[in-house]
Amino acid sequence: MPDAPTSTPTAATDPAPFPLPPLTDQAERLIALGVPALTGVDAGELRAFAEKAAPGAPAGSLLAVHPDAAPASALAPLLSLAGKPGFVVVDMEDVDAFAPQGVELPDGPFYLLHAPDRGDHLGNWSPEEALPALTAAGRTPLLLTEGIHWLLQRPEVLERNKCFMTIASRLPKPGGTFDARTPAIWISNGTGRDGKERKGAPKVGWCWWNNRHTWLGFGSTTGRSS
């Protein structure tokens, strides 16, 4: 394995460039995108949760649906950049088996995610290296579904050469270990099995747990609440 990065991880970048809409608007966007129809989530309950949570929610809160209710395979095709829909790579058919690891989700189908950040400051760090750095900064990594929810509200968060991994989603293996694949969201180059027609589309894929990529940060949050 290469030497550890020489740069010192800093605090998360300022999320201000990507301000989130009010929670009630976020709920309406999820409904308009078809999340309730695709997952069985009740649109009325989603609206009611957003309305109740809005007054006390910290600034910059993201509305999320629990992955048990809205799995990544259902959400990924709703992503869009320049009119091109999102997709999951063909060698990740087990995407919904990547479960929360090291994070506790609030009870219920809906919850809030606070101050999501793309983690550009940890570009060229491996997931193994980045996780303790995030923990030391008082943050926890995003789930894959949380990263997708963020992009459903703010597609422009995903920029070429500034994409992110979602390392709180891991695939358990027998014996208590984990699959070395680690989910990430980036922009397809339209090569290989992606297909030329998908060039520029949002892509749910994976990278190895010990590998580094200069163009992948690490999505994280300051916390979650119901």
Side-chain angles (χ1 to χ4, degrees):
M1 183 174 175
D3 292 338
T6 55
S7 61
T8 300
T10 59
T13 52
D14 184 357
F18 307 111
L20 284 161
L23 291 175
T24 52
D25 291 352
Q26 292 184 43
E28 293 304 324
R29 176 157 176 80
L30 293 180
I31 293 167
L33 287 170
V35 170
L38 287 171
T39 64
V41 168
D42 185 271
E45 291 180 0
L46 178 58
R47 284 193 180 102
F49 176 86
E51 291 173 358
K52 182 178 179 180
S61 291
L62 173 68
L63 176 60
V65 182
H66 195 289
D68 287 348
S73 62
L75 296 176
L78 302 179
L79 293 170
S80 180
L81 277 178
K84 294 190 176 183
F87 67 100
V88 179
V89 294
V90 296
D91 54 353
M92 206 175 179
E93 294 180 348
D94 52 357
V95 64
D96 293 337
F98 284 74
Q101 173 63 27
V103 299
E104 292 188 11
L105 300 185
D107 293 333
F110 316 118
Y111 64 98
L112 302 182
L113 192 76
H114 308 309
D117 181 79
R118 199 168 57 187
D120 297 350
H121 62 298
L122 290 174
N124 207 33
W125 288 62
S126 72
E128 183 178 42
E129 295 159 343
L131 180 57
L134 290 173
T135 301
R139 302 184 67 88
T140 60
L142 296 185
L143 301 176
L144 174 57
T145 51
E146 293 171 344
I148 295 174
H149 274 295
W150 192 18
L151 297 176
L152 291 178
Q153 299 293 343
R154 294 301 306 266
E156 63 272 30
V157 167
L158 199 66
E159 301 179 81
R160 191 166 292 282
N161 297 321
K162 290 186 178 180
C163 303
F164 60 93
M165 301 188 73
T166 54
I167 64 173
S169 292
R170 302 295 306 276
L171 178 59
K173 294 172 63 176
T177 59
F178 294 96
D179 192 289
R181 292 173 298 161
T182 312
I185 311 172
W186 70 91
I187 300 173
S188 174
N189 287 324
T191 57
R193 289 183 289 180
D194 288 2
K196 294 181 179 179
E197 71 281 2
R198 283 176 164 162
K199 184 176 182 180
K203 172 179 177 176
V204 172
W206 57 269
C207 299
W208 299 118
W209 179 256
N210 288 312
N211 282 11
R212 300 176 186 149
H213 300 277
T214 57
W215 45 276
L216 283 176
F218 292 85
S220 69
T221 175
T222 57
R224 301 164 177 85
S225 64
S226 55

